[in-house]
Amino acid sequence: MDELIHADAVEKHAHLPNLSSMPYLGQADTFFERHLLSDALVEPATAYQRQRFEAMARSVRDILAERWIRTQRTYDQANPKRVYYMSMEFLIGRSMSNNVMNLVLDRFIESTSREANLDWLDLLEQEPDAGLGNGGLGRLAACFLDSMASMELPAMGYGLRYEYGMFRQAIEDGWQHEQPDNWLRRQDPWEVSRRGQFVEVKLGCSFEMHQGALTIIANKPSTLIGVPYDRPIVGFGGKTINSLRLWSAAAPDYFDFQEFSSGDFVGALVGSIAAQTLTRVLYPDDSTEMGQSLRFAQEYFLVACSLADLLRRFRRDNDDWNELPNKVAIQMNDTHPALTVPELMRILLDDVHLGWDQAWDLTQRTLAYTNHTLLPEALEKWPLHYFRQMLPRQLEIIYEINRRFLDDVRNRHPGDDKLVERVSLIEEGHEDKVRMAHVAIVGSHSTNGVAAIHSELLRTTTVRDFAELYPERFNNKTNGVTPRRWVRLANPELSDVISEAIGNNWVADFDQIGRLKPLADDAAFREAFLGAKRHAKVRFASWLKESSGQIVDPDSIFDCHIKRIHEYKRQLLNALRVIILYSRLRANPGMNMAPRTFFFAGKAAPAYKIAKLIIKFINNLALTIEKDPLVAGRIKVVFLPDYCVSLAERLIPAADVSNQISTAGFEASGTSNMKFMMNGALTLGTRDGATIEMAEEAGEENFFLFGLTAQEVSDGRGWYNPYWHYENDAETRHALDLIAQNYFSANEPGAFSALHDVLLKNGDRYMHLADIVSYLNADEALSTLYGDRGAWARKAILNVAGSGKFSSDRAISQYAEEVWNMQPCPVL
Ligand SMILES: *Cc1c(COP(=O)(O)O)cnc(C)c1O
């Protein structure tokens, strides 16, 4: 068994470590049986699939345990600089197959499955997605953890252990319904509770359950307990295994029963139930500021637990506080963890008793901030009274930071009161608020955007004043995604074709993917490449049929638009395109048009009415087209419910076309655009976010770019008028008229009038109508190309070959070098 695994691993991945030091592999299948017997207490032959999944996960954990501990020991001994990635979201997805891949245990799985008579693929379906995030921001954090471990960086992720992750989306009668995601209902086999390493968090308020909801009782100080749960983050090759540490809230009496003996027994019990509610649920909104006190408490809880934990580790290994920035880097993923600034200051001032200047210097040099959005409605601002109630001391500190900062601004720009008002950490108004982005920029040494255009707009528009005050703090780190999960694991067909051609080092060294470039002109390689795509499409079609009964034609163009539903992402623009193509086909059934399947998927924030109506609209559009015999077999619309990491992993390998059509200047980066590119889809896209850089890398001639530029969008703000397009373009007018005439809502008259209003009467903020004609032109060029299989394959191969830059390994190596100033710490 040992021999088998290692011969294979070493041959396939010459650069990988020799795993023969792993003691357990020889008896792996007995392991599996033993877990069934002793954990689940069942006869292996009669076990349920879920029990088998758990036993297998435990067996894999047994195998990685020794490396996991060794990684920690290595860090403890070497005392390297460590990076802590702080994020309110980690959209991890499933872990089993990812861990098996990164540990190079394929052969072990094969033989165990054979000996235990397991259906491995079915077993994988037993694992729920760990959906601890909304979308791109949370998935980025997960890809970054994979890259940090694969690149042997001493890193740790810090987040919250939500008992309920992102809601499950059900579609009923076309409408989105939200169902709770009780992903921990059955014990998660990967997590390890570290109750011994609990931390105390002191708050200026208490919590109480009030009519089923958690409410905050001001001026009644309380203590919460943070209990860490660790999940292994396996680096590729299995050498380094880092941890993702998620905090769960508990009440002190959970640990200390004294309160019960002394005080109010019932009161203490109710209080404990309330406190544990704090980490119960993820807020399911990714684009507007929620402005709820519980979310504020969650953010502080993450920051307070993580800082206490990492400073305890720092103190264990270092006795000079001046070493902090040399030993610790903290990356704040958006402003959600920006309370790190006043909390670290509080600790250094009040607990460590440093002077202000020294504390401030250490804080700034330790912290760095990543901005993820230019949308003003998504920039966090917390009402002062939340601070007064919960964090009075941190508020004092923010005032003092602000006083000193504004003094400095006044010195440098005497008399410019407007500037002072604009940059102040406090926004004065009807209700005073703390501007968290300002706190994060002032309190750190690095602020980065997530794509070149985004970083540029950040500097020149959103926080221009700060970029002028502190130009040296601003930088760009274009996002990336891990090629392990998104190509090797999700797309075995394509992976084999690539490895056949250039060897398999691309998995760990994704720059090598560029070696495919000359093969774009190789007829045999094109053939193999198209074969892999066709195979992935068939695989997706049969999954869809099996899981939902829906039938799609693998010979049609798979045209995909999957991401959160938001007006700026313009699912409506895509829907208008479909209406126009549909209308053309109806008007001229003999026309030559390659059969197409339009896939949509995405969740809408539960409170975002228009987004939910867009989902209903797409579903009605699908039904209208489905029922029309004139277009049968020519076009089809499918709305896939419950978009999540696992669904993305299924669909993206099968995609021919990737729609990345946000209004230019609104999508910070995008990351699904990169996943599609790596999987050989062609992009129909606007010049926005990282799509601009993707086209640069692959060559614009291999992209289908269209629409207004960010500059044109911003210039057009003053005079743009959707009615002009309505009146001057017959197809646009016809599409809008169909909506107004209830063509897609015959039984629900007026159902979509709000969408019609968004596009016309209310001014079309996201300029859908300005881009329709150029979208259709790009679409036509693309579908014509589809008819020439060789030419299509050539462009698609050049896209894959040009995607090297978009590995999260590249992004992480830039962070490590330019922001964190840290080196790998290999585990021997
Ligand atoms: C990659 C990914 C996203 C981000 O998609 P964008 O199109 O970049 O917004 C969101 N959700 C899931 C599940 C993903 O895998």
Side-chain angles (χ1 to χ4, degrees):
M1 166 70 103
D2 232 74
E3 287 288 299
L4 220 61
I5 295 167
H6 299 122
D8 188 52
V10 172
E11 179 209 330
K12 271 173 77 175
H13 300 281
H15 56 287
L16 289 185
N18 182 351
L19 298 180
S20 55
S21 57
M22 288 187 175
Y24 304 123
L25 288 180
Q27 333 122 42
D29 35 331
T30 50
F31 253 49
F32 170 70
E33 290 211 346
R34 212 176 59 215
H35 278 295
L36 277 179
L37 283 169
S38 53
D39 300 349
L41 285 159
V42 290
E43 293 265 20
T46 64
Y48 294 122
Q49 273 299 69
R50 168 70 201 193
Q51 291 170 320
R52 294 203 177 100
F53 159 72
E54 281 175 20
M56 194 58 118
R58 292 277 186 216
S59 309
V60 172
R61 211 180 81 178
D62 292 341
I63 292 168
L64 65 79
E66 193 259 346
R67 294 293 313 186
W68 198 2
I69 288 171
R70 195 191 303 196
T71 301
Q72 306 317 314
R73 195 195 314 133
T74 301
Y75 296 165
D76 291 348
Q77 283 166 359
N79 190 20
K81 182 168 184 179
R82 304 182 194 233
V83 60
Y84 296 99
Y85 199 82
M86 259 206 243
S87 178
M88 285 289 280
E89 304 189 9
F90 287 91
L91 193 49
I92 305 166
R94 289 172 170 161
S95 295
M96 174 76 99
S97 51
N98 196 72
N99 287 346
V100 164
M101 164 181 61
N102 280 2
L103 290 164
V104 202
L105 287 177
D106 323 42
R107 280 306 195 76
F108 156 65
I109 294 300
E110 265 170 45
S111 64
T112 308
S113 300
R114 202 175 336 105
E115 280 156 40
N117 202 12
L118 282 177
D119 180 345
W120 175 245
L121 292 180
D122 185 63
L123 194 107
L124 294 178
E125 296 301 309
Q126 300 298 315
E127 182 173 11
D129 268 45
L132 309 182
N134 273 280
L137 174 146
R139 184 55 232 173
L140 183 78
C143 283
F144 277 5
L145 292 181
D146 179 86
S147 285
M148 289 188 280
S150 296
M151 299 169 77
E152 308 187 311
L153 288 172
M156 190 169 203
Y158 276 124
L160 293 183
R161 182 178 177 270
Y162 305 107
E163 283 168 53
Y164 294 85
M166 191 57 201
F167 66 81
R168 285 218 313 271
Q169 179 194 57
I171 303 294
E172 287 168 35
D173 196 22
W175 295 100
Q176 166 175 299
H177 287 258
E178 300 93 29
Q179 297 170 348
D181 164 44
N182 192 358
W183 74 293
L184 290 173
R185 187 181 51 213
R186 286 180 286 208
Q187 231 241 298
D188 182 276
W190 304 112
E191 67 176 17
V192 184
S193 145
R194 304 277 191 198
R195 290 170 50 112
Q197 299 183 44
F198 75 90
V199 300
E200 285 189 342
V201 175
K202 294 199 183 330
L203 288 167
C205 68
S206 307
F207 299 96
E208 236 175 57
M209 292 301 285
H210 193 70
Q211 294 178 339
L214 188 60
T215 55
I216 287 170
I217 312 299
N219 305 319
K220 190 182 164 207
S222 68
T223 302
L224 281 180
I225 300 292
V227 183
Y229 286 76
D230 290 353
R231 308 176 70 82
I233 305 297
V234 180
F236 186 64
K239 282 213 286 186
T240 291
I241 302 185
N242 287 334
S243 303
L244 167 58
R245 175 159 281 195
L246 301 178
W247 297 101
S248 184
D253 50 72
Y254 183 62
F255 284 80
D256 174 10
F257 283 83
Q258 269 178 8
E259 226 176 278
F260 284 90
S261 49
S262 58
D264 167 8
F265 180 84
V266 173
L269 199 59
V270 170
S272 79
I273 292 166
Q276 288 166 45
T277 309
L278 190 63
T279 48
R280 181 116 336 144
V281 62
L282 166 76
Y283 277 87
D285 198 320
D286 73 331
S287 51
T288 54
E289 186 228 316
M290 289 294 298
Q292 297 203 25
S293 57
L294 274 180
R295 165 76 181 191
F296 180 75
Q298 284 185 338
E299 292 182 356
Y300 179 66
F301 185 71
L302 167 66
V303 162
C305 290
S306 310
L307 272 183
D309 190 57
L310 72 88
L311 289 178
R312 185 164 58 193
R313 190 173 304 114
F314 169 74
R315 286 301 281 168
R316 191 190 60 200
D317 303 331
N318 305 277
D319 40 40
D320 182 358
W321 281 96
N322 287 313
E323 281 297 297
L324 187 66
N326 302 326
K327 293 294 180 184
V328 173
I330 298 175
Q331 191 70 34
M332 300 182 281
N333 196 21
D334 214 316
T335 56
H336 314 149
L339 289 168
T340 303
V341 173
E343 177 68 2
L344 181 53
M345 282 298 286
R346 184 194 66 75
I347 295 169
L348 295 177
L349 293 170
D350 299 356
D351 299 348
V352 184
H353 306 293
L354 300 185
W356 182 279
D357 289 338
Q358 191 186 5
W360 185 238
D361 176 62
L362 296 179
T363 297
Q364 284 184 315
R365 289 200 288 135
T366 302
L367 305 186
Y369 157 58
T370 301
N371 173 284
H372 283 272
T373 182
L374 302 169
L375 286 182
E377 67 265 34
L379 290 175
E380 283 190 304
K381 291 168 192 165
W382 290 115
L384 278 189
H385 74 264
Y386 290 178
F387 281 88
R388 282 200 205 95
Q389 285 181 0
M390 276 183 245
L391 308 173
R393 176 59 180 148
Q394 287 81 352
L395 181 60
E396 270 178 16
I397 290 170
I398 287 174
Y399 278 141
E400 181 60 13
I401 295 171
N402 202 32
R403 190 187 66 76
R404 288 167 181 254
F405 165 58
L406 294 182
D407 277 354
D408 183 41
V409 173
R410 283 192 196 95
N411 275 336
R412 290 160 65 172
H413 299 272
D416 195 344
D417 293 342
K418 282 271 177 282
L419 174 66
V420 169
E421 198 181 307
R422 287 199 305 269
V423 298
S424 173
L425 306 191
I426 314 288
E427 179 177 280
E428 294 180 16
H430 158 69
E431 185 181 34
D432 290 356
K433 292 176 171 176
V434 180
R435 295 159 163 160
M436 299 311 291
H438 294 197
V439 172
I441 296 169
V442 171
S444 65
H445 67 279
S446 167
T447 293
N448 73 280
V450 289
I453 183 181
H454 167 63
S455 296
E456 185 58 22
L457 290 172
L458 202 60
R459 275 191 289 255
T460 54
T461 61
T462 317
V463 293
R464 177 177 171 172
D465 296 319
F466 288 96
E468 285 171 0
L469 286 165
Y470 309 118
E472 71 289 352
R473 288 190 199 174
F474 284 79
N475 63 93
N476 173 246
K477 295 288 168 284
T478 298
N479 282 166
V481 301
T482 170
R484 266 81 62 188
R485 182 179 289 262
W486 294 108
V487 185
R488 183 61 268 263
L489 186 62
N491 199 340
E493 298 89 354
L494 179 62
S495 296
D496 287 348
V497 169
I498 296 172
S499 295
E500 194 74 24
I502 61 167
N504 50 30
N505 287 351
W506 60 273
V507 179
D509 176 10
F510 201 57
D511 278 340
Q512 304 237 358
I513 205 71
R515 292 170 53 206
L516 291 178
K517 201 168 169 187
L519 296 168
D521 293 311
D522 178 321
F525 185 76
R526 285 181 185 175
E527 206 51 46
F529 181 89
L530 290 174
K533 179 61 75 179
R534 159 98 198 163
H535 192 154
K537 288 170 78 172
V538 169
R539 182 160 58 89
F540 181 82
S542 55
W543 171 80
L544 185 65
K545 177 160 179 245
E546 226 166 87
S547 60
S548 74
Q550 293 212 72
I551 301 206
V552 293
D553 174 9
D555 290 317
S556 64
I557 301 178
F558 279 16
D559 181 295
C560 306
H561 197 182
I562 56 173
K563 49 186 75 245
R564 285 301 288 256
I565 309 292
H566 198 289
E567 288 163 275
Y568 86 79
K569 291 178 181 276
R570 296 202 295 193
Q571 280 90 1
L572 270 182
L573 176 60
N574 190 347
L576 289 170
R577 172 185 63 141
V578 174
I579 295 172
I580 290 171
L581 294 177
Y582 167 61
S583 303
R584 286 180 188 171
L585 208 50
R586 277 186 60 87
N588 181 9
M591 77 185 284
N592 183 20
M593 187 194 278
R596 304 179 72 158
T597 308
F598 299 95
F599 292 99
F600 290 83
K603 292 173 182 173
Y608 190 171
K609 294 245 169 61
I610 289 291
K612 292 176 91 167
L613 189 57
I614 290 171
I615 292 174
K616 169 68 173 164
F617 182 65
I618 294 167
N619 279 301
N620 278 29
L621 176 61
L623 205 63
T624 306
I625 291 176
E626 184 77 34
K627 289 199 296 209
D628 188 339
L630 263 186
V631 299
R634 312 285 299 274
I635 58 173
K636 184 179 177 82
V637 174
V638 176
F639 188 94
L640 302 162
D642 200 34
Y643 182 49
C644 59
V645 171
S646 293
L647 181 59
E649 287 172 7
R650 283 183 213 285
L651 181 60
I652 291 172
D656 295 307
V657 180
S658 161
N659 284 273
Q660 306 296 337
I661 61 174
S662 51
T663 313
F666 282 86
E667 187 73 271
S669 161
T671 48
S672 77
N673 46 0
M674 304 167 183
K675 301 166 194 165
F676 280 107
M677 184 190 196
M678 288 178 185
N679 281 278
L682 296 185
T683 303
L684 255 177
T686 46
R687 290 174 177 81
D688 202 13
T691 302
I692 297 173
E693 292 160 70
M694 286 163 39
E696 254 166 45
E697 292 293 307
E700 276 224 14
E701 68 283 7
N702 298 309
F703 263 64
F704 294 84
L705 297 183
F706 69 91
L708 300 181
T709 61
Q711 188 63 51
E712 288 165 341
V713 167
S714 130
D715 292 347
R717 275 287 159 229
W719 49 262
Y720 173 69
N721 180 359
Y723 282 101
W724 188 91
H725 298 276
Y726 177 79
E727 276 148 23
N728 287 279
D729 182 62
E731 292 193 310
T732 301
R733 183 166 61 247
H734 181 60
L736 282 157
D737 288 348
L738 287 177
I739 299 173
Q741 292 155 11
N742 290 306
Y743 188 84
F744 308 104
S745 46
N747 303 321
E748 301 145 297
F752 302 124
S753 60
L755 297 184
H756 195 266
D757 287 351
V758 160
L759 294 171
L760 276 176
K761 222 163 72 189
N762 301 346
D764 189 18
R765 178 177 175 204
Y766 295 103
M767 301 192 183
H768 297 80
L769 302 201
D771 282 348
I772 291 185
V773 171
S774 59
Y775 186 21
L776 284 159
N777 290 339
D779 178 272
E780 188 163 336
L782 187 140
S783 52
T784 303
L785 181 72
Y786 194 78
D788 182 345
R789 302 309 290 140
W792 178 282
R794 182 174 182 279
K795 278 203 187 344
I797 293 164
L798 289 173
N799 266 267
V800 178
S803 69
K805 174 176 173 185
F806 305 101
S807 164
S808 43
D809 298 346
R810 186 271 314 151
I812 285 300
S813 73
Q814 290 182 327
Y815 277 99
E817 194 167 313
E818 297 161 22
V819 181
W820 305 330
N821 188 26
M822 65 186 288
Q823 311 296 324
C825 178
V827 181
L828 301 175

